[in-house]
Amino acid sequence: MLRYHTIPVTAFQQNCSLVWDDASLQAAVIDPGGDLDRILAAVEERSLRLEQIWLTHAHIDHAGGTGELAERLGLPIVGPHPGDQFWIDGLPQQSQMFGFPPAKAFTPTRWLADGDSVTLGAHTLHVRHCPGHTPGHVVFHAPEIQRAFVGDVLFAGSIGRTDFPQGNHQQLLDSIVQRLWPMGDETVFIPGHGPESSFGRERQVNPYVGGT
C-alpha cells in the first residue's frame, strides 16, 4: 500500500510529504523546502529508503532544500514542469529575499508534463500540469488511495496566490476546475500549507471555486 506522512517545514510551515511503498519501503519526498535534518529523521524513524525528490513547483519554501538534499544523498530530482525554470534559477535570490538559508539552483533530472506519471515501488502516481500559481506547477495524484498532493494550487478554504511573476488567476481557476475536480469529490488533497481537505468539500464551501 502507498503511505504518506506530512512534515511542516521552514518558517512558512510548508507541507513537505514523505510518500512510500509499505512493502519495499521505497520512498520519495515531495517539496523538501528546508529543515532537511527533520525530514531525514522522519525517513530514518520509518526505516525508509529515500530514492527520489518530487517537486510541485520551485518557490523557495517548496524547493529550497532540494539542491542540497539531492547532492547529499545522490537523489534524482523529478519535476516540476519546465515553466518553473526561472524560479529554480532564482532560488539563491529567493533565499536572500525571504531570509531562508542559502539555497542552490539545480537542474531537474527529469522535467514533468501533463499526463506523465511517477512510480514508487509497485505504485504509480499521475501527474497533472496545473499552472496559475506558477507556470510550471504540477500535482501528483494517487488514485489508489484517493489522495492528491497539490502544492499551492488549492487550500482548505482558499486557493494559491497569483500575484507572483507569471502567476495567472484565471489559469489557476481553470487548473482547479478542469484538472483537479475530475479526480473525484472523495479525493483528499494535501495542500502546500494548512490542513487537508477534499475536492468535494471545496467544491461546496471554498469562496473562490465553490459551486464549480
Side-chain angles (χ1 to χ4, degrees), residues 129-199:
H129 179 213
C130 293
H133 178 65
T134 70
H137 201 301
V138 297
V139 163
F140 299 97
H141 179 214
E144 66 177 282
I145 58 168
Q146 294 186 312
R147 294 293 184 276
F149 299 87
V150 303
D152 287 355
V153 174
L154 181 68
F155 303 110
S158 190
I159 59 174
R161 289 175 58 175
T162 55
D163 57 337
F164 294 117
Q166 295 191 35
N168 185 302
H169 182 75
Q170 187 58 52
Q171 200 175 42
L172 183 68
L173 296 180
D174 290 344
S175 290
I176 293 167
V177 173
Q178 297 169 14
R179 298 195 167 165
L180 297 188
W181 290 170
M183 295 176 190
D185 285 352
E186 302 78 22
T187 296
V188 171
F189 67 92
I190 298 85
H193 305 267
E196 296 180 359
S197 181
S198 70
F199 292 148

Side-chain angles (χ1 to χ4, degrees), residues 8 11 39-40 47 70 91-92 107 110 125 160-162 195:
I39 296 169
L40 293 174
S47 302
L91 280 169
T107 301
R110 175 190 169 197
L125 290 84
R161 289 175 58 175
T162 55

Side-chain angles (χ1 to χ4, degrees), residues 53-71:
I53 298 169
W54 298 345
L55 294 181
T56 63
H57 66 295
H59 282 162
I60 184 68
D61 53 324
H62 292 256
T66 300
E68 181 184 341
L69 183 61
E71 198 173 275

Side-chain angles (χ1 to χ4, degrees), residues 2-196:
L2 197 65
R3 298 192 180 278
Y4 71 97
H5 172 69
T6 301
I7 309 158
V9 297
T10 82
F12 288 15
Q13 290 293 284
Q14 188 273 127
N15 287 332
C16 169
S17 291
L18 289 174
V19 186
W20 70 93
D21 175 346
D22 68 356
S24 67
L25 298 181
Q26 292 168 281
V29 59
I30 302 176
D31 291 351
D35 296 334
L36 297 183
D37 290 343
R38 286 188 57 217
I39 296 169
L40 293 174
V43 170
E44 187 175 340
E45 186 182 322
R46 292 162 179 80
S47 302
L48 304 178
R49 292 191 290 131
L50 189 57
E51 296 184 344
Q52 304 176 60
I53 298 169
W54 298 345
L55 294 181
T56 63
H57 66 295
H59 282 162
I60 184 68
D61 53 324
H62 292 256
T66 300
E68 181 184 341
L69 183 61
E71 198 173 275
R72 198 192 293 188
L73 300 183
L75 301 177
I77 301 168
V78 180
H81 177 282
D84 270 18
Q85 178 70 65
F86 77 104
W87 281 114
I88 294 174
D89 294 341
L91 280 169
Q93 290 74 33
Q94 288 188 62
S95 63
Q96 290 181 335
M97 189 182 307
F98 292 104
F100 276 62
K104 299 179 178 181
F106 54 84
T107 301
T109 313
R110 175 190 169 197
W111 293 107
L112 293 173
D114 190 60
D116 281 352
S117 61
V118 291
T119 57
L120 194 59
H123 308 284
T124 298
L125 290 84
H126 305 302
V127 175
R128 298 310 312 258
H129 179 213
C130 293
H133 178 65
T134 70
H137 201 301
V138 297
V139 163
F140 299 97
H141 179 214
E144 66 177 282
I145 58 168
Q146 294 186 312
R147 294 293 184 276
F149 299 87
V150 303
D152 287 355
V153 174
L154 181 68
F155 303 110
S158 190
I159 59 174
R161 289 175 58 175
T162 55
D163 57 337
F164 294 117
Q166 295 191 35
N168 185 302
H169 182 75
Q170 187 58 52
Q171 200 175 42
L172 183 68
L173 296 180
D174 290 344
S175 290
I176 293 167
V177 173
Q178 297 169 14
R179 298 195 167 165
L180 297 188
W181 290 170
M183 295 176 190
D185 285 352
E186 302 78 22
T187 296
V188 171
F189 67 92
I190 298 85
H193 305 267
E196 296 180 359

